[in-house]
Amino acid sequence: MSREDLANLIFPNITKTIADLEECYAPRNLKEGAMVTRYAPSPTGFMHIGNFLAVVIDYVMAKNSQGIFYLRNEDTDQAREVDGAIEYIRHVLENYHMEPDEYEYLDSQETKGNYGPYIQSERKEIYQTFIKHLLIEGKAYPCFLTQEEMDSIRKSQARDKRRIGIYGRFAKYRDLPVEEAIQKIQAGEKYTIRLKSSGDFNRKFKFNDLANGELEFPENDLDIPIMKSSNGLPTYHFAHLVDDHLMRTTHVVRGQEWISSIPIHYELFKTFGFKMPKYVHIPLILKKDGEKVRKISKRYDPEAKMSYYEEKGYPYQAVIEAIMTIANSNYEAWREGHPDADFTEFNFSPKKMSSSGALFDLDKLDNISKNYISHLTKEEVYEGVLAWSQTYDKEFYEILKKYPEYSMQIYNIEREQKKPRKDYVYYSEIKEKTWYMYDEYFKDSTYDFFEYPEEEVRFMLKTYYQEYYQESDSEEEWFNQIKKMCDQLGYASNMKEYKENPTKYKGSIVDVTNIIRIALTTLSMTPNLYDIMKILGPERVMNRFQKFL
Ligand code: GLU
């Protein structure tokens, strides 16, 4: 009996060859230098900010080079799969306007691209074609080690301080005669398929990582599993080889935790004689914690999850900007010179990534975001807060929908000017900062006048709205009216005079405007009172004075 018999016994239905597949997924017809990148998440949970950094880099590299960015669902670990994980990733990609050029979405049955299926569990036959080839070549073999045997090998290796894994004399089934292997399979024994490694741990090879430079590794000599016994699907390593080869990926952007797998991937590509893609292993995301800098933690840091940014209502462009500043140290300088350019026009250089870790600073994001929102039009702010509230604050959403023009006037306070006011960091803050403008919220609020005696306050407000408040004044006239009232009521209308001789007055114009402000908004700090009153309009102003009195 031959290796071919063994291969046919294991994969009776696999009739295609690797050459057939390569023909079917021919090299892409792209312009010279175009990069093909992919985001290849395992649907095992929420999306981490580190994943997002990878996506942004994938996207900018592909778009900047007029290449392709595709999404591949790596769902071979079906025990760990979490419902809705891929749908959430899709949602994030759409929200950030980084839709992949090729993808496959099971929920909506949508697919695009000629290199699919883009879901690993649908590619079983493709992987098995490659595995069958290795079996025939004698470069892979069925391994009948049971879980108990493997546990005991691992224990003894740990005890003897040896390298962990199946190699050398631990690879018990590596040289099992074909006949015996066939017998065992026919008798129904369980097996995985392992690579028959030809590497030598004592030999080293050099490997160039685009972000980390030249690295040196010992060759892989482990007979790593390439197909699991449970579902006939490949392990991550093998799927990486097959998929990135057939999908014609040119650049693999992935987390630094994969660097230690390079010897395995190097051997796999070499075994088939395939050209390896280029690799960009991206740094861990760090955060400042007091004086210390540490790895951002999904357990303790809410900002480690992408859902955080959506809940807060950061404009997506601000989050991308903040991520780009940690992706490449020269991004900020580029942005200063290209304030209106799309971020994909930036020529990302993996070399300019920090290999020791990327420090992500929320204060910095806040600054970027504040600045970004301050430069939007009032319409854009309104659209942004409306979209945010639709998911996160239904009540506010209804109010916003009822008063679009009015809301835009509020957001326009000190906006259309050279240095616009920087009021809002994210959309969830807008209600906190403008609620008093809406009667729906204002009606249940209480006032705090601090040190001002109640009778005095009442008298002043009455005097103001009966004698001095007029609608449609210019700011100057409006201010003159208040000054006149100050003179009448014994408050200094001129601050300099007041400071020189405070005892001569009951107070100053600052106290007067403060009292008016509190009566109309309940707050002692707001944007320009004249603007507020103008937007509230005479009817609301009068109602509020009356409500107060
Ligand atoms: N599915 C792997 C992960 O989520 C992908 C790593 C890669 O990009 O190759 O970690």
Side-chain angles (χ1 to χ4, degrees):
M1 284 199 209
S2 67
R3 291 198 296 256
E4 201 142 352
D5 297 319
L6 175 66
N8 283 330
L9 174 67
I10 297 178
F11 300 118
N13 301 323
I14 300 297
T15 52
K16 278 199 182 134
T17 64
I18 294 178
D20 295 335
L21 292 171
E22 284 177 329
E23 201 181 307
C24 176
Y25 303 107
R28 293 168 182 270
N29 199 358
L30 296 169
K31 81 171 215 315
E32 176 85 27
M35 300 184 199
V36 179
T37 64
R38 84 292 195 280
Y39 177 43
S42 305
T44 51
F46 64 86
M47 191 172 180
H48 188 272
I49 179 119
N51 303 133
F52 188 70
L53 173 63
V55 170
V56 172
I57 294 174
D58 277 323
Y59 189 79
V60 77
M61 286 190 2
K63 295 296 145 185
N64 189 264
S65 65
Q66 287 152 49
I68 296 284
F69 164 60
Y70 71 87
L71 176 70
R72 182 170 73 225
N73 180 348
E74 304 214 321
D75 64 343
T76 59
D77 195 352
Q78 294 178 326
R80 286 178 54 219
E81 197 162 327
V82 170
D83 275 354
I86 280 292
E87 287 70 26
Y88 182 69
I89 286 166
R90 171 183 188 173
H91 166 82
V92 170
L93 296 180
E94 283 173 0
N95 269 356
Y96 284 86
H97 297 250
M98 294 194 292
E99 276 109 337
D101 299 304
E102 297 170 12
Y103 53 80
E104 183 175 338
Y105 296 125
L106 267 189
D107 56 335
S108 60
Q109 306 272 328
E110 279 170 80
T111 178
K112 196 173 148 214
N114 297 326
Y115 289 81
Y118 296 92
I119 301 180
Q120 288 186 331
S121 59
E122 294 179 2
R123 300 173 60 78
K124 204 182 227 172
E125 286 181 7
I126 295 177
Y127 302 124
Q128 294 186 347
T129 304
F130 285 71
I131 297 174
K132 188 170 186 179
H133 171 85
L134 286 185
L135 284 170
I136 295 172
E137 297 271 297
K139 292 177 178 167
Y141 64 92
C143 169
F144 301 92
L145 286 173
T146 61
Q147 194 55 51
E148 292 72 44
E149 282 176 297
M150 282 192 300
D151 290 345
S152 106
I153 291 175
R154 176 182 297 270
K155 263 195 211 135
S156 76
Q157 288 172 333
R159 190 193 53 221
D160 303 341
K161 300 204 165 41
R162 287 174 189 277
R163 284 190 295 127
I164 306 288
I166 302 302
Y167 56 93
R169 69 181 168 84
F170 304 105
K172 185 170 156 193
Y173 295 98
R174 185 182 163 97
D175 296 315
L176 190 72
V178 167
E179 291 72 23
E180 284 179 47
I182 289 178
Q183 262 173 22
K184 279 178 172 293
I185 292 172
Q186 282 171 338
E189 271 191 55
K190 270 193 146 179
Y191 60 92
T192 51
I193 297 186
R194 286 184 186 273
L195 174 74
K196 198 171 195 174
S197 172
S198 62
D200 176 351
F201 187 72
N202 296 312
R203 258 201 323 251
K204 301 230 184 318
F205 69 96
K206 288 200 164 68
F207 179 89
N208 189 41
D209 179 285
L210 294 190
N212 300 275
E214 191 174 86
L215 306 170
E216 196 178 64
F217 297 94
E219 285 183 6
N220 173 62
D221 68 344
L222 305 180
D223 285 357
I224 54 137
I226 55 178
M227 191 184 91
K228 308 174 200 180
S229 58
S230 52
N231 53 13
L233 283 170
T235 54
Y236 163 70
H237 305 301
F238 201 76
H240 159 49
L241 161 89
V242 173
D243 293 347
D244 286 313
H245 175 64
L246 289 183
M247 295 181 182
R248 310 291 176 177
T249 307
T250 64
H251 289 73
V252 169
V253 178
R254 62 184 182 186
Q256 238 171 21
E257 67 276 17
W258 292 110
I259 284 194
S260 57
S261 302
I262 288 173
I264 294 175
H265 301 162
Y266 184 80
E267 181 174 19
L268 285 172
F269 276 87
K270 216 169 77 178
T271 303
F272 283 92
F274 297 158
K275 183 168 177 242
M276 273 187 116
K278 296 203 163 64
Y279 290 81
V280 180
H281 287 97
I282 60 171
L284 288 174
I285 302 221
L286 308 176
K287 80 170 265 170
K288 265 218 183 93
D289 188 352
E291 289 300 292
K292 279 197 312 227
V293 169
R294 61 166 174 81
K295 189 179 146 197
I296 205 163
S297 141
K298 48 187 175 186
R299 277 258 309 274
Y300 303 112
D301 306 315
E303 73 269 28
K305 297 186 190 180
M306 285 317 288
S307 51
Y308 174 83
Y309 305 92
E310 191 178 331
E311 281 159 25
K312 285 267 179 184
Y314 284 97
Y316 77 91
Q317 297 91 335
V319 181
I320 293 180
E321 284 298 299
I323 288 289
M324 284 303 291
T325 63
I326 67 169
N328 254 184
S329 49
N330 53 329
Y331 183 77
E332 277 180 276
W334 175 82
R335 176 50 88 203
E336 268 171 39
H338 304 80
D340 300 319
D342 192 83
F343 77 101
T344 55
E345 287 172 40
F346 176 72
N347 200 342
F348 171 80
S349 158
K351 273 201 207 82
K352 293 194 180 109
M353 293 204 95
S354 134
S355 55
S356 55
L359 186 64
F360 184 66
D361 182 354
L362 269 186
D363 291 340
K364 179 145 196 183
L365 167 63
D366 286 356
N367 257 322
I368 292 175
S369 189
K370 208 183 213 174
N371 191 41
Y372 182 83
I373 294 182
S374 79
H375 285 94
L376 295 178
T377 63
K378 61 182 190 291
E379 288 83 6
E380 288 167 330
V381 179
Y382 177 74
E383 290 305 326
V385 65
L386 189 72
W388 172 84
S389 64
Q390 188 169 18
T391 309
Y392 295 101
D393 189 341
K394 286 267 161 20
E395 188 187 71
F396 191 37
Y397 174 72
E398 291 306 327
I399 292 176
L400 289 170
K401 257 195 0 198
K402 208 160 136 194
Y403 308 110
E405 291 304 323
Y406 181 65
S407 301
M408 282 189 253
Q409 284 181 39
I410 300 170
Y411 310 145
N412 217 29
I413 296 177
E414 293 172 50
R415 176 167 300 275
E416 292 167 2
Q417 57 192 32
K418 194 139 186 271
K419 279 203 163 167
R421 213 184 143 86
K422 293 185 184 177
D423 269 325
Y424 314 123
V425 175
Y426 28 70
Y427 293 124
S428 62
E429 224 185 21
I430 290 189
K431 180 167 129 187
E432 274 164 49
K433 293 197 164 163
T434 60
W435 62 271
Y436 57 83
M437 296 299 285
Y438 299 97
D439 288 339
E440 284 81 349
Y441 296 125
F442 184 80
K443 69 179 169 21
D444 302 320
S445 55
T446 53
Y447 309 88
D448 184 359
F449 280 89
F450 309 106
E451 71 269 35
Y452 304 114
E454 195 183 323
E455 272 319 296
E456 180 70 13
V457 166
R458 285 175 173 279
F459 178 67
M460 182 191 294
L461 290 173
K462 226 183 202 151
T463 311
Y464 179 64
Y465 89 75
Q466 284 173 354
E467 296 174 35
Y468 291 94
Y469 172 65
Q470 296 164 6
E471 55 177 299
S472 70
D473 285 333
S474 71
E475 184 163 2
E476 199 189 343
E477 283 171 57
W478 167 85
F479 199 50
N480 282 338
Q481 289 292 96
I482 293 182
K483 279 193 195 157
K484 269 198 230 154
M485 182 173 78
C486 285
D487 295 340
Q488 185 198 322
L489 300 185
Y491 288 78
S493 57
N494 179 315
M495 284 311 283
K496 197 165 155 247
E497 282 167 21
Y498 177 67
K499 278 188 189 133
E500 277 162 13
N501 207 344
T503 49
K504 209 176 123 191
Y505 302 97
K506 282 201 250 169
S508 76
I509 189 158
V510 172
D511 297 300
V512 173
T513 48
N514 211 10
I515 288 170
I516 298 174
R517 188 190 311 272
I518 294 173
L520 292 176
T521 69
T522 78
L523 305 174
S524 54
M525 294 247 284
T526 67
N528 184 342
L529 182 59
Y530 169 74
D531 288 332
I532 300 261
M533 289 175 69
K534 186 117 188 136
I535 295 169
L536 284 171
E539 203 181 308
R540 276 198 199 82
V541 166
M542 286 316 233
N543 284 344
R544 288 183 182 202
F545 281 138
Q546 267 149 15
K547 166 183 147 102
F548 174 75
L549 293 167

